[in-house]
Amino acid sequence: MSKSKDKRIRKFKKKRIWPSILGLFIVSICFMVIMLAVVAFLVSDVVKNKIVAGIHDTEEVSHFFEKIESFEELAEIEETLLFYIDIETDVESIAVIEDDKVVWSSDDRYPSRTSESEFMITDDIRVFIEDDPENNFIIEDNTLNVSKDFINSIEIKEILGTEEMIIPNGTALAHLKVWFEVPTEVGNVYVLKDLKVYQEDLFTLIICTVLIAVIIATFMIYYLISFIGLFFDMHKNSKIIYTDMLTGGENRLFFEKKGNSLIRKAGRRGKKYAVIHLKMRKYRSYCTCFGVKEGEALIEKCYALLKKQISRKELMVHRENAQFGLLLAYENREQLVTRVEKIESVLNTISPNIKLYFGVGIYLTQIGDKDIEQLYNNALLACDMLGEEAENKIAFFDVEMNNQRIWERKVEDDMNRALKNKEFQVYLQPKIKTSEEVLAGAEALVRWIHPQEGFIPPNKFIPIFEKNGFITKLDDYMLEEVASLQEQWIKQGNKIVPISVNISRAHFTRSDLAAHICSIVDKYEVPHNVIELELTESAFFDDKKQLLDTINQLRELGFSVSMDDFGAGYSSLNSLKEMHIDVLKIDADFFRGADVEERGMLIVSEVIELAKKLDMKIVAEGIESREQVDFLTEQECDLIQGYFFSKPMPVAEFVEKYKDFR
């Protein structure tokens, strides 16, 4: 699987979980921050209220000192002052300090002033924090703040109370002992207050804390339910991704995922696996006869039977159409072939009255193999090399198959450029008149002169062009090159001979083929009778009516039509019965083999006699010996083509060799 595709699939499987996790994290952090901020604000507000109350008591005490001008007067009101403090205020101690000396103290306590512990409240009142371990507050930036340790230590159960811990009424939850300083005539008066925080002071804090806790719990439950839903969604997504929609079993993605794991483990343990492409041949014909629904039912039955043929450490999936991918463990090649043949015989029990045909491509895994998809493609390639009508039903992949596929790809990559750059060259092979052994015609054959590969013979690219349809463009190119060549010779005033050009069977799918050929040839104002059009006998097996109509149209337009490779097929005589052609070319195979002198020559003589009776010219191709020439001369064959007289040659060489006949 490609990296991009793998990334898309992983993204599809996991795309919903990360936003949920991130959302839970962000929401939790936000609520915790809000909760801490609310607690800090409410506690600070409570403390500020306590300080305001302390300021009020301090101002009340300071009234006693406003009219005192000497320490003697202070002694006189001391008893009254102490009584007032004890009854009317919540003041713990009072001290008077002048010039850093303690002048008077209600209980021998006085403040220890440091710059770190003091801050201004009003223009007249200054506060000093008493150094007391019970204090839960600190001075920061000239401001009284709640200690973070105190905030973090507050627990709901301590505020609300539980069965294990009940806070008695009147018990303070926190303490803050501070000295309030007020300047007077007798010196600076310091009032010590214990600012106690009680449970009832934190009522609002309790409500807000409980509310936030409930909200956080609600969101946690919501996201927990979401995670459970996501888990089931991910499981469902995985089932969808790895399920084949036709059979309900595993599909090719599962084959890739599980297969890669199995072959990696097999490499470490020395176990041998075979990757198999199993294809039901003629599946389309089955669907045509019995319907698509029956075809799908057949695939489901095949899948069910195949599933029973594999073990726990093997794989089998439906790929597409009537194709299955298997990963089978094996001990040796012979045992594997026997097992595959057994699987085929089991599959043929599905429909006893209908023979099912299968093609099998096999790739034997090697140490270091990792990508099972590539290995399966190798098995598929081996099966494709068999062809639809091959008798051998099982093919093993080898390196040469891959080289052939690489070559086909290179040919297809270069063919359009080659046509544009005229890398396809016209070679001419002469046709010699039998009676006089003089030039009477030629056949135009294509050769590819590749800039990197050099000379490429036709059998290396023509079959590829016939398969991908490019052959029709090459036909047009060759026809145009020959017409141009004939035009050039005519303008030079030279004698010309007919040149035959091959027209592939793919071209005869065009209903306007005759008009199309005329449009090419007429551009060069060449007489139609100097262009001979060759078609193979195999063209007769396509649209017969259209083929016959096209041949008749071409002959009416003045073109000669010849049948190439006569005798190579199985219906040659039947073809002659229906096609009115001008030239018959006897296949070269009649002149090769051990029985040439007996059976071969007998057939050739009869074919020549038959052609004469049908008013057709005869061309014998593939002639390589004087004995064959003499025999054909005796049989009154019209033309001979073969290596005995000349191999195909470039146009310049042909012109030089036969300049007297141009």
Side-chain angles (χ1 to χ4, degrees), residues 373-386:
E373 193 66 14
Q374 179 58 49
L375 308 184
Y376 180 81
N377 284 336
N378 292 341
L380 190 151
L381 175 60
C383 185
D384 286 347
M385 291 294 182
L386 287 173

Side-chain angles (χ1 to χ4, degrees), residues 49 110 134 149 165 293 311 325 377 387 389 453 466 529 593 634:
N49 292 334
Y110 53 88
E134 292 185 357
D149 294 335
M165 179 179 180
K293 292 293 184 183
S311 66
N377 284 336
E389 305 299 331
E453 301 294 332
E466 288 177 339
N529 62 351
E634 181 182 343

